[in-house]
């Protein structure tokens, strides 16, 4: 089997960067979804995915930071709703 090298000046995207880009987008989507449902679960997952994407050097840094912010907002909404309802959980 003969493998050819990429053309000069063109490099193949590294799988690690592509994975980090996917993590950044996933953190954004999960953080946004977490504002509506399951924020006790989706908030921390969005935070961890955003941190991992930033650590791996994603090209989508804005999405990763947005996912991190939304994950933190998920937890803030959960705490505020628990304070208002006076319980450990909340529902609409």
């Amino acid at each position: 089997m003969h493998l050819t090298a990429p053309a000069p000046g063109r490099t193949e995207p590294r799988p690690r960067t592509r994975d980090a880009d996917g993590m950044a987008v996933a953190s954004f989507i999960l953080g946004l979804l977490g504002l509506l449902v399951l924020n006790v679960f989706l908030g921390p997952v969005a935070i961890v995915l955003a941190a991992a994407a930033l650590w791996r050097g994603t090209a989508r840094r804005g999405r990763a930071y947005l996912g991190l912010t939304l994950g933190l907002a998920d937890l803030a909404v959960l705490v505020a709703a628990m304070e208002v309802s006076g319980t450990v959980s909340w529902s609409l």
Side-chain angles (χ1 to χ4, degrees):
M1 176 182 244
H2 179 44
L3 298 175
T4 59
R10 295 187 74 182
T11 59
E12 295 293 321
R14 295 185 339 210
R16 184 175 176 164
T17 304
R18 273 198 339 236
D19 290 345
D21 291 347
M23 285 183 200
V25 173
S27 71
F28 168 70
I29 291 170
L30 292 176
L32 193 59
L33 187 60
L35 288 174
L36 302 173
V37 295
L38 294 173
N39 50 4
V40 71
F41 175 71
L42 294 178
V45 171
I47 292 168
V48 169
L49 283 174
L54 290 169
W55 183 73
R56 287 183 171 200
T58 181
R60 298 179 182 222
R61 295 180 63 80
R63 293 256 168 92
Y65 282 123
L66 201 53
L68 182 65
T69 303
L70 287 169
L72 293 172
D74 292 347
L75 297 179
V77 166
L78 177 65
V79 168
M82 286 179 359
E83 287 295 318
V84 168
S85 67
T87 63
V88 179
S89 64
W90 68 278
S91 63
L92 293 175

